[in-house]
Amino acid sequence: MGNIIRCLTGRDHDHGDDDYYPYYRTSSRWEDEPAAASRPPQQSLGPIHGGVSVTPAATASLAQDLQLNIESTSMIPEGLKRHVTSSKKAQIKWYKDMAEAYKDMKTPPKTQAETALTRIQRADLEDIFSFYNLPTASLPVPDSNHHPTPPPEGVQFVLNTLPVHNKCIGDGDGFTAYVDTADPRESADVPPEVHEMVIAITQARTDRDYQTANALQRSLDKAGYKVIIILGEEILARKYRIRMRGIDAPELKMPYGKEARKELMKLIGGKSVTIYVYEQDQFGRYVGDIYCDNMFIQEQMLKCGHVHHFKKYDKRPEFENWQKEAKSTGLGLWASKKPPQKPWDWRRNKRHARHSAIQVY
């Protein structure tokens, strides 16, 4: 408990000059918990981060939130869901991660704070600050290597997805993502007939007419939308098929194909991702750069030797360098002494084989 307080106030006897973590004010009451009696004003500890002040009551309240409410009941602050778009499960994980990061004081408070904050996407972190009435100026500056700001030249739009289900990851370079239609970019573009189908599905289920409800659900899927249930909450989401830009993974029937898919699952499975979309390919997939957990996913897949650099379509020199790095250390598909077959060659051979078979027939 004391360690959490010292990290929040920056007043650790061993690290007295560490004044880093953005400070939270007294939170709202937690779900299912009666409102606490108001506390008398406390003397401020002084200006912190651009003039923001924190009182002993504020740090004590957050410490209680992290240690007691989260560890004992896994409840999140009432009203937080009105500020953030991530699922309730993700919100609980944020608080648990923050609490966990402050239990062990073996590393300086700044390092612990960075560990906690990097587990929360920047947009959600800003919303949390808004919930606590804190200025976003006190947030740490994001690493320039992650989530480029502004978006690079050529980016058409940016998608912020719901958690990606493992079953939606087709191979090591492609997956299906869903975006909440409550997202400002999506909300204005939902066709009226989609809203009508959702209402009709709800009514059919109420009437226990499951045959009609299933038929309407199939129609909704064909329209590119899906009702997803996350922790009991129904969310209307739009479907996007994604092709990761600049890389090519072994096909599932190729050597290392299934391994590449498993590695992508480890990186994005069950997590929300940010996608910088550049174009649509001939198959209707959205081609883009993927970011998750403050990582550039193509970089991770190349450095660990799970995919090939797709030079024909992407000339970025860093991609070539990351692939050379994996080759030199014999990682992933480069572990064998025999050079791995390139996926584009494998697909071309398959096409030629099919074409030959048709001609013979």
Side-chain angles (χ1 to χ4, degrees):
M1 182 76 164
N3 288 342
I4 299 175
I5 302 273
R6 286 196 294 275
C7 279
L8 292 171
T9 61
R11 293 190 172 194
D12 190 333
H13 294 299
D14 296 326
H15 305 281
D17 58 344
D18 284 304
D19 184 12
Y20 174 82
Y21 192 77
Y23 298 86
Y24 290 76
R25 289 178 183 159
T26 306
S27 67
S28 302
R29 66 184 178 90
W30 293 67
E31 293 180 1
D32 304 322
E33 179 184 358
S38 59
R39 295 183 178 89
Q42 301 282 337
Q43 182 179 0
S44 173
L45 294 178
I48 299 169
H49 289 291
V52 180
S53 295
V54 62
T55 65
T59 55
S61 177
L62 181 57
Q64 181 180 13
D65 287 350
L66 293 176
Q67 185 165 339
L68 300 181
N69 290 300
I70 280 295
E71 291 189 1
S72 302
T73 65
S74 293
M75 291 190 295
I76 57 175
E78 182 183 18
L80 180 62
K81 63 183 178 183
R82 292 194 294 271
H83 290 258
V84 299
T85 58
S86 295
S87 67
K88 183 177 179 181
K89 183 177 180 180
Q91 295 168 29
I92 293 173
K93 188 175 185 301
W94 296 342
Y95 279 86
K96 285 186 175 180
D97 282 345
M98 285 190 286
E100 192 67 28
Y102 289 98
K103 282 183 179 178
D104 187 352
M105 291 293 293
K106 292 179 181 178
T107 55
K110 179 176 180 179
T111 304
Q112 293 286 4
E114 288 171 343
T115 300
L117 294 178
T118 54
R119 298 173 184 175
I120 305 175
Q121 292 190 37
R122 175 78 182 191
D124 287 323
L125 198 57
E126 291 176 353
D127 289 335
I128 291 174
F129 268 52
S130 173
F131 173 70
Y132 283 103
N133 297 317
L134 288 172
T136 55
S138 58
L139 282 167
V141 178
D143 192 322
S144 60
N145 292 327
H146 304 129
H147 291 273
T149 304
E153 183 179 354
V155 172
Q156 295 185 1
F157 53 89
V158 180
L159 298 174
N160 292 296
T161 76
L162 294 169
V164 178
H165 197 288
N166 279 339
K167 291 183 179 180
C168 292
I169 300 175
D171 53 25
D173 58 36
F175 58 95
T176 298
Y178 290 90
V179 177
D180 192 340
T181 54
D183 185 296
R185 184 185 172 277
E186 300 290 342
S187 58
D189 296 330
V190 181
E193 56 268 26
V194 168
H195 287 299
E196 291 169 3
M197 277 191 281
V198 173
I199 294 172
I201 289 171
T202 302
Q203 185 59 53
R205 287 175 177 168
T206 301
D207 297 339
R208 297 187 178 183
D209 184 358
Y210 300 117
Q211 184 176 354
T212 298
N214 291 337
L216 287 167
Q217 185 65 59
R218 288 192 291 271
S219 297
L220 190 65
D221 290 342
K222 289 181 180 178
Y225 291 86
K226 189 179 185 70
V227 175
I228 298 175
I229 300 176
I230 299 179
L231 294 175
E233 180 181 358
E234 290 191 345
I235 298 174
L236 176 62
R238 182 178 174 183
K239 176 181 178 180
Y240 287 88
R241 291 193 301 131
I242 305 300
R243 177 66 165 81
M244 295 168 66
R245 180 172 174 249
I247 63 173
D248 200 0
E251 301 294 332
L252 292 180
K253 293 183 179 180
M254 292 178 64
Y256 206 79
K258 293 180 180 178
E259 288 83 354
R261 178 174 178 260
K262 287 180 181 178
E263 294 304 324
L264 184 58
M265 285 181 179
K266 291 178 184 178
L267 291 171
I268 68 172
K271 303 174 185 177
S272 297
V273 303
T274 298
I275 307 170
Y276 290 81
V277 178
Y278 285 80
E279 60 181 338
Q280 266 189 290
D281 65 12
Q282 67 269 34
F283 304 108
R285 298 173 300 185
Y286 292 86
V287 181
D289 288 339
I290 317 300
Y291 292 84
C292 180
D293 285 347
N294 288 319
M295 293 186 295
F296 182 25
I297 301 303
Q298 282 101 309
E299 176 183 353
Q300 299 301 313
M301 294 293 283
L302 280 166
K303 280 184 173 181
C304 295
H306 304 314
V307 296
H308 295 262
H309 176 204
F310 213 168
K311 300 177 187 178
K312 180 179 179 180
Y313 297 102
D314 197 303
K315 308 296 184 183
R316 283 179 280 186
E318 61 268 31
F319 277 41
E320 180 65 18
N321 292 335
W322 293 332
Q323 177 169 276
K324 287 180 179 178
E325 183 180 327
K327 276 186 177 181
S328 65
T329 51
L331 295 176
L333 55 85
W334 307 108
S336 175
K337 293 182 179 180
K338 182 181 178 180
Q341 185 179 20
K342 296 177 176 61
W344 50 90
D345 290 338
W346 187 88
R347 291 191 295 267
R348 185 182 62 244
N349 293 339
K350 286 291 182 181
R351 287 194 299 270
H352 289 170
R354 286 195 300 268
H355 183 68
S356 299
I358 291 172
Q359 286 184 329
V360 170
Y361 180 80

